[in-house]
Amino acid sequence: MGKPHLLVHDHEDNVGVVVVEGLTAGTDMLCVVTADNSDFTLTANADIPIGHKVALRDLSTGDTVMKYGEDIGKMVGGANKGDHVHTHNCKTKRW
């Protein structure tokens, strides 16, 4: 296995975190699930900065965002599988 582009902490997560600099649209990302070290590939649909999230499946407005096996917020805009998920389409449920 090569160096991963994206880390997913739990199989229930619907977003992963970019762990490389300079991820560009069209990259076939190596994604690793840290819970069991399994891996899969996913194509990035946009340039996505390190530390930002990527949708692992299609997400709709109102969907709960799961990261680290935890509810971290809700979608306020849609994202297709492989899309950038950040403050433009994901918000906390706290306020």
Side-chain angles (χ1 to χ4, degrees), residues 69-92:
E70 301 288 333
D71 174 344
I72 64 157
K74 67 179 176 181
M75 295 298 290
V76 295
N80 292 322
K81 182 177 179 179
D83 281 356
H84 187 195
V85 175
H86 198 55
T87 57
H88 64 283
N89 57 6
C90 178
K91 302 286 184 199
T92 181

Side-chain angles (χ1 to χ4, degrees), residues 15-79:
V15 296
V17 179
V18 174
V19 294
V20 296
E21 295 280 356
L23 183 75
T24 58
T27 300
D28 289 326
M29 299 178 289
L30 173 60
C31 310
V32 174
V33 181
T34 60
D36 61 7
N37 209 35
S38 61
D39 64 84
F40 61 95
T41 58
L42 176 65
T43 302
N45 295 336
D47 298 348
I48 304 171
I50 190 170
H52 286 221
K53 297 173 289 299
V54 177
L56 302 179
R57 62 174 177 81
D58 292 346
L59 298 170
S60 300
T61 299
D63 284 354
T64 293
V65 179
M66 298 294 294
K67 178 178 161 186
Y68 311 119
E70 301 288 333
D71 174 344
I72 64 157
K74 67 179 176 181
M75 295 298 290
V76 295

